[in-house]
């Protein structure tokens, strides 16, 4: 399946705002393996490593999280996990605007896009896939206005 990320809209056939029933009805999505309930009416559905995690609030899809095992992931014409992390983030910054450091993740607030595990803020360096084994990078797409982090007040960075 192709998982093309469209900031502010969705990822592949998943559209922000869909209901849990709409998501379950999509081909290849089916029923979740695990459902986690959180505060504020949030609920997260996990369907395995090869599919994005879906998070809902009041039965509306508000967050889509894709890890490196989701095949066919594409953002700005690039596979986030197959390309050089520095090149990938620079391209996003050029196309999506400023990036802030939000809870140790890179956040493109205007696009509702969060990159986890791409950048190590304490060492001020990017993940190096050619020499580092532990790879827990993820791409999270949020419905505008639903980011739970401190992206608006985080440290603004530039990699250009």
């Amino acid at each position: 399946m192709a998982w093309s990320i469209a900031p502010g809209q969705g990822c592949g056939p998943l559209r922000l705002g869909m209901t849990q029933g709409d998501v379950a009805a999509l081909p290849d999505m089916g029923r979740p393996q695990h459902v986690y309930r959180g505060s504020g009416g949030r609920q997260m559905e996990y369907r395995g490593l090869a599919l994005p995690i879906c998070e809902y609030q009041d039965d509306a899809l508000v967050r889509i999280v894709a890890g490196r095992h989701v095949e066919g992931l594409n953002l700005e014409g690039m596979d986030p996990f197959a390309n050089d992390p520095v090149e990938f983030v620079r391209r996003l910054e050029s196309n999506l605007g400023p990036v802030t450091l939000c809870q140790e993740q890179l956040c493109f607030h205007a696009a509702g896009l969060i990159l986890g595990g791409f950048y190590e803020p304490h060492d001020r360096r990017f993940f190096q896939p050619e020499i580092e084994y532990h790879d827990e990078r993820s791409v999270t797409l949020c419905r505008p206005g639903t980011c739970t982090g401190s992206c608006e007040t985080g440290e603004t960075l530039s990699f250009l």
Side-chain angles (χ1 to χ4, degrees):
M1 181 178 292
W3 295 101
S4 185
I5 297 172
Q9 297 174 35
C11 178
L14 297 171
R15 307 317 301 153
L16 294 169
M18 290 176 91
T19 67
Q20 290 173 286
D22 293 337
V23 171
L26 291 172
D28 299 322
M29 290 300 286
R31 292 183 44 204
Q33 294 176 6
H34 300 286
V35 176
Y36 304 94
R37 299 186 197 306
S39 62
R42 289 190 178 256
Q43 186 168 308
M44 190 181 315
E45 296 178 340
Y46 173 79
R47 291 176 167 81
L49 292 174
L51 293 171
I53 295 170
C54 298
E55 185 177 326
Y56 306 87
Q57 186 167 15
D58 302 321
D59 198 33
L61 184 60
V62 295
R63 288 170 48 109
I64 302 166
V65 182
R68 65 184 175 89
H69 296 287
V70 176
E71 292 185 28
L73 198 64
N74 176 323
L75 176 60
E76 297 284 325
M78 299 177 79
D79 179 331
F81 308 112
N83 287 284
D84 175 60
V86 178
E87 178 186 333
F88 178 66
V89 170
R90 284 180 178 158
R91 184 179 211 171
L92 291 182
E93 186 178 355
S94 292
N95 295 339
L96 301 177
V99 59
T100 58
L101 189 58
C102 177
Q103 298 173 339
E104 298 189 7
Q105 299 180 78
L106 298 177
C107 178
F108 296 87
H109 186 68
L113 189 70
I114 302 168
L115 303 179
F118 283 76
Y119 182 72
E120 171 51 56
H122 303 293
D123 296 334
R124 299 280 184 188
R125 67 171 185 81
F126 282 88
F127 175 77
Q128 299 170 326
E130 65 281 356
I131 63 171
E132 294 181 79
Y133 171 74
H134 192 65
D135 185 356
E136 291 192 9
R137 290 178 289 165
S138 64
V139 177
T140 301
L141 180 63
C142 301
R143 187 173 71 185
T146 63
C147 179
T148 57
S150 57
C151 302
E152 293 147 344
T153 59
E155 177 187 356
T156 300
L157 304 173
S158 180
F159 302 103
L160 299 177

